[in-house]
Amino acid sequence: MQTANRLPELRAAVDSLRGARGEVALVPTMGALHEGHLSLVREARRRAPVVVVSIFVNPTQFGPNEDLAAYPRQIEEDARLLRAEGVDLLWAPPTDEVYPEGFATKVSVGGLSERLCGASRPGHFDGVATVVAKLFNQVRPDWAVFGEKDWQQLAVIRRMARDLDLSQPSAERILGVPIVREADGLAMSSRNRYLSTDDRQRAAALPRLMRDAAAAIAQGAPVTETVDRLSQGLLGEGFARVDYAEIADATTLQPLGAVGSAPARLFVAARIGGTRLIDNVAIENG
Ligand code: PAF
């Protein structure tokens, strides 16, 4: 596996790999890799002969009181995992390569970015859209692969690609990969490692109560009452706060008071022991 830290090296390496082997798939990450990330890498490998993974802890998507400084960084271990997956190129730029002196541009996807996580993390999706637009322009991949755990992020990025007529990759070639879960159902996340042993055990209530609520709604239970019961259940299981628990249209993320024929999902963000966990599940009706 080659590693590039500066843009000219990246461009030279991508050009040469593309020339020798063909299409390129990019997996953007912030490192601290786990099985969820590796499932993205494997999907990228199925799509294209050249796989590039980026590791960049993007400061602009963290709010002032968030965990930027504490965010886990383990580049050596990450590189080892990626090498074992047969990744061709690791793009690991320093902050000044991505945000040089005088950097002043922001990509902002209206509407979609303001709901759900956007409401409790103002500016977060502007940071995500800006850095992903840059990563796309830097690597110019034919495919890009993201996790469905960050469902809203995926929706924002696809909207951005459509709205800006991006072609590398086009919106159709921005792929979502299903959530990878621990044995007790907790969605894998780099932030799970912040959980104490006790909170880690309690955290399994999140996917369990979500699954129950989604199944009840699919069978006709009223949305508002069921989602309220889910929030109360989480607080009863030791969660400190529920940022949101909502049924929304899977594409537009508009809140739904009842499920119809359009795909709907249950979205939750909740805090336990200072760690914010997010998850989403489909409402499988019919
Ligand atoms: O999902 C992530 O790890 C990040 O939000 C991303 C897409 C790499 C942008 O920094």
Side-chain angles (χ1 to χ4, degrees):
M1 182 177 75
Q2 301 176 59
T3 299
N5 303 114
R6 293 286 174 188
L7 206 41
E9 295 167 54
L10 172 78
R11 289 254 157 90
V14 171
D15 286 352
S16 131
L17 286 162
R18 184 193 294 284
R21 289 202 243 139
E23 287 194 335
V24 175
L26 171 67
V27 181
T29 81
M30 297 206 299
L33 304 179
H34 49 69
E35 265 307 306
H37 294 110
L38 301 184
S39 74
L40 309 184
V41 170
R42 289 169 199 147
E43 178 61 22
R45 170 61 70 217
R46 281 191 284 276
R47 297 292 173 155
V50 178
V51 176
V52 179
V53 174
S54 63
I55 295 183
F56 178 65
V57 181
N58 173 36
T60 65
Q61 69 188 76
F62 289 78
N65 301 316
E66 292 183 359
D67 56 343
L68 172 61
Y71 199 83
R73 288 161 172 88
Q74 47 166 62
I75 191 79
E76 299 301 328
E77 169 65 3
D78 288 346
R80 194 186 62 71
L81 292 170
L82 296 176
R83 220 172 278 118
E85 291 296 326
V87 167
D88 300 286
L89 176 61
L90 169 60
W91 169 223
T95 306
D96 68 349
E97 187 69 25
V98 179
Y99 298 114
E101 184 74 27
F103 185 88
T105 299
K106 184 155 77 182
V107 179
S108 188
V109 179
L112 278 179
S113 294
E114 285 136 33
R115 308 207 52 261
L116 301 172
C117 283
S120 37
R121 302 184 72 191
H124 168 69
F125 288 111
D126 292 353
V128 169
T130 303
V131 82
V132 171
K134 286 194 61 116
L135 291 166
F136 285 177
N137 280 325
Q138 290 165 347
V139 178
R140 299 191 198 116
D142 303 283
W143 302 88
V145 186
F146 296 86
E148 289 183 349
K149 174 163 169 292
D150 296 296
W151 187 277
Q152 185 176 11
Q153 165 172 284
L154 185 55
V156 166
I157 291 167
R158 284 185 169 136
R159 184 78 259 163
M160 169 185 79
R162 276 194 202 98
D163 290 354
L164 299 182
D165 306 313
L166 298 191
S167 59
Q168 282 194 289
S170 62
E172 295 68 35
R173 286 180 161 214
I174 295 174
L175 308 174
V177 171
I179 298 174
V180 178
R181 296 181 181 278
E182 304 283 358
D184 63 3
L186 185 67
M188 288 197 184
S189 163
S190 305
R191 289 188 168 100
N192 290 352
R193 66 187 72 192
Y194 297 153
L195 295 167
S196 67
T197 312
D198 235 35
D199 289 338
R200 171 64 192 82
Q201 267 174 16
R202 292 166 198 258
L206 176 63
R208 177 168 45 79
L209 295 176
M210 285 181 70
R211 232 182 9 250
D212 293 350
I217 289 168
Q219 282 159 25
V223 163
T224 312
E225 287 84 338
T226 309
V227 164
D228 283 352
R229 204 170 321 115
L230 162 64
S231 296
Q232 290 311 316
L234 288 170
L235 298 173
E237 293 281 353
F239 278 76
R241 194 167 105 196
V242 178
D243 282 355
Y244 60 79
E246 223 176 278
I247 300 291
D249 181 283
T251 312
T252 64
L253 305 186
Q254 283 306 305
L256 298 172
V259 292
S261 53
R265 292 187 88 81
L266 169 60
F267 295 90
V268 178
R271 294 176 195 253
I272 185 162
T275 302
R276 186 173 182 277
L277 301 177
I278 61 170
D279 202 344
N280 66 88
V281 294
I283 308 297
E284 316 267 14
N285 52 350

